[in-house]
Amino acid sequence: MAIYRPRLVPQDDGSYWQWENCMAASGATALDRHTLGGIRTTGAKIRNCQDDKVGGIDLIDVKTAWNRCFSKYFDVRLKITWRTFVGAIKAGRGAVVAGNYAYIPYKYRGQKSPSNFGHAVYINEIRSSDGAMLMYDPLAEKPVWIPQTYIRQFAGHFRTSTGLIGLGYAQAGFTRITPTPLPDTSTSSLRLRYGGVKITPNIFAARVSAKQRRSPYIRSDNIIRVVSKGTKFKAYQKTKTGTNVGGSRIWYGNINGTVWMHSSVLRDI
């Protein structure tokens, strides 16, 4: 069965807490998986949706953020056996797992050094052929397949307030079971125009007061309306054939290609 693969949310997003936001960023990746792309957010947003403003946050904080800002349930287990953790992944769940970065070998780490510190990564699935896990390290640029034994050691060497959790155990937070992508009924009436290509439906917000246009070209006769900062825009397609703005020709369009906004005036939410 095909398993939905979320986008990797990096922790180095320019926000104030970026270098202490591994748990928050991994929680954002997990939320993408939990909603099959319906909600995409950042580590900074997860951080701002809970109350801990000192240092890194933990799984309970991510659970608070999911519930407070997104009305979603994050299933946190503070100590489970490794067998239970693996079973949950095989059943179709994604998971954020806490551990010690030193136990992730150099070749699999997003950050090469230093490496001996508490960290959190997201695990999306297990490969049936060899048991390897698809790991999303928020310090990396893309997910990698890593032998399961290394994630087991990473998790077992996580230090809690009372000491190491212990080899053969893990502290993790799980998404709901989502073994296969849900049918995308929302794009049944999709009409690609102006060289548009289909994308996973994504909700943006206007960075500033911005114009919505009938086509991806800047002309005085194609302005539909001016929307205020923060106005949401759901995009179903994008094109690179429109007017170049600030070095980018990327425009996003609605489901039938009748409303377009340039990428420079949009932010992902």
Side-chain angles (χ1 to χ4, degrees):
M1 293 185 294
I3 296 177
Y4 175 81
R5 290 178 178 171
R7 297 185 304 179
L8 186 153
V9 177
Q11 66 181 88
D12 57 334
D13 57 4
S15 62
Y16 181 82
W17 294 106
Q18 62 178 342
W19 300 120
E20 295 178 291
N21 256 5
C22 59
M23 181 65 75
S26 294
T29 299
L31 185 60
D32 184 344
R33 165 65 184 272
H34 187 83
T35 61
L36 298 175
I39 298 176
R40 287 177 169 171
T41 190
T42 64
K45 176 69 172 178
I46 294 292
R47 164 75 68 162
N48 290 334
C49 285
Q50 54 80 56
D51 302 315
D52 188 349
K53 308 302 181 185
V54 180
I57 65 173
D58 59 25
L59 288 165
I60 297 298
D61 295 323
V62 174
K63 181 175 183 176
T64 297
W66 274 38
N67 179 62
R68 182 176 294 170
C69 289
F70 308 102
S71 299
K72 301 300 179 185
Y73 176 70
F74 190 45
D75 185 6
V76 173
R77 313 289 182 87
L78 296 181
K79 187 172 183 179
I80 56 173
T81 66
W82 182 251
R83 181 176 180 179
T84 299
F85 177 81
V86 170
I89 302 298
K90 287 184 175 180
R93 299 182 187 275
V96 177
V97 58
N100 187 321
Y101 205 44
Y103 291 87
I104 301 295
Y106 183 92
K107 65 182 290 187
Y108 300 108
R109 295 200 301 263
Q111 178 174 295
K112 303 308 180 183
S113 62
S115 63
N116 188 12
F117 53 85
H119 195 49
V121 300
Y122 168 78
I123 302 298
N124 195 63
E125 61 201 86
I126 294 176
R127 189 163 59 192
S128 60
S129 60
D130 59 2
M133 292 180 160
L134 188 60
M135 177 184 74
Y136 290 59
D137 177 0
L139 290 170
E141 296 181 354
K142 61 182 180 180
V144 296
W145 288 103
I146 180 172
Q148 188 178 138
T149 183
Y150 296 132
I151 299 298
R152 183 173 182 268
Q153 292 179 49
F154 167 83
H157 287 87
F158 174 64
R159 186 170 294 279
T160 70
S161 59
T162 58
L164 294 181
I165 196 168
L167 194 62
Y169 294 92
Q171 184 172 118
F174 296 95
T175 71
R176 66 187 180 91
I177 295 175
T178 58
T180 57
L182 296 173
D184 187 6
T185 57
S186 64
T187 60
S188 59
S189 59
L190 177 65
R191 181 186 179 192
L192 299 174
R193 304 181 68 198
Y194 304 107
V197 295
K198 179 182 177 181
I199 63 171
T200 300
N202 195 52
I203 299 176
F204 295 97
R207 293 180 182 273
V208 294
S209 177
K211 296 180 178 68
Q212 291 186 339
R213 298 178 181 271
R214 294 184 179 86
S215 63
Y217 302 100
I218 294 181
R219 298 197 307 262
S220 60
D221 63 350
N222 74 347
I223 300 172
I224 300 172
R225 66 182 67 88
V226 177
V227 297
S228 60
K229 179 181 178 181
T231 299
K232 292 182 180 180
F233 178 67
K234 190 167 187 178
Y236 292 82
Q237 57 185 301
K238 72 176 180 179
T239 184
K240 296 181 179 180
T241 63
T243 300
N244 187 317
V245 179
S248 173
R249 291 184 178 275
I250 298 177
W251 290 72
Y252 289 96
N254 67 349
I255 194 166
N256 52 19
T258 58
V259 182
W260 294 84
M261 296 185 75
H262 189 263
S263 58
S264 65
V265 300
L266 296 173
R267 62 178 174 83
D268 206 356
I269 59 174

